[in-house]
């Protein structure tokens, strides 16, 4: 009588998964790595570093509600275009206010725009 092992078979033995299979599985399911590093000296907290790392495919991340890169102008051309359009609109509004202020009579112009 043989007793089945409770430990999973390690990868790479007996024709198991190769690196591509592992990577596909990780990207499909996602992996979360979390940890805190805290350095204290005589009960005085000197440094705390909190690490949170999620490794997943873009589709899986979107499923989880993680899509911050779509709104970051440094990472998304659409976000960069939106930021430039918003800045352009603000500058045009400011220019219009300045032109209105300049057209106003000098006694009204005492106030800053």
């Amino acid at each position: 009588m043989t007793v089945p092992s409770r430990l999973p078979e390690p990868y790479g033995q007996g024709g198991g998964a190769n690196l591509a299979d592992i990577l596909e599985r990780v990207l499909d399911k996602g992996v979360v790595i979390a940890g805190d590093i805290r350095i204290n000296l005589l009960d005085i907290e000197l440094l705390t570093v909190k690490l949170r790392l999620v490794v997943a495919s873009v589709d899986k991340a979107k499923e989880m509600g993680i899509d911050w890169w779509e709104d970051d102008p440094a990472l998304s051309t659409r976000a960069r275009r939106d930021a430039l359009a918003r800045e352009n609109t603000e500058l045009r509004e400011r220019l219009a206010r300045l032109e209105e202020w300049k057209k106003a009579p000098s006694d009204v112009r005492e106030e800053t725009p």
Side-chain angles (χ1 to χ4, degrees), residues 8-72:
E9 187 173 317
Y11 293 114
Q13 294 183 357
N18 60 23
L19 184 60
D21 293 335
I22 295 170
L23 183 61
E24 183 180 339
R25 192 174 303 168
V26 166
L27 292 177
D28 184 47
K29 301 291 182 185
V31 173
V32 176
I33 300 170
D36 296 336
I37 299 171
R38 182 172 294 156
I39 299 174
N40 292 343
L41 178 65
L42 301 175
D43 289 336
I44 299 171
E45 185 174 324
L46 297 177
L47 177 69
T48 300
V49 177
K50 293 186 175 194
L51 301 172
R52 306 293 182 261
L53 177 65
V54 176
V55 179
S57 67
V58 170
D59 293 335
K60 186 65 179 179
K62 284 183 177 180
E63 268 182 43
M64 294 187 293
I66 302 170
D67 60 354
W68 52 263
W69 61 87
E70 292 183 350
D71 298 326
D72 188 339

Side-chain angles (χ1 to χ4, degrees), residues 88-104:
N88 193 10
T89 302
E90 290 171 3
L91 288 172
R92 286 179 188 271
E93 289 172 358
R94 185 173 177 194
L95 180 62
R97 282 195 311 266
L98 285 171
E99 287 176 349
E100 288 295 321
W101 178 76
K102 188 175 179 182
K103 288 179 187 174

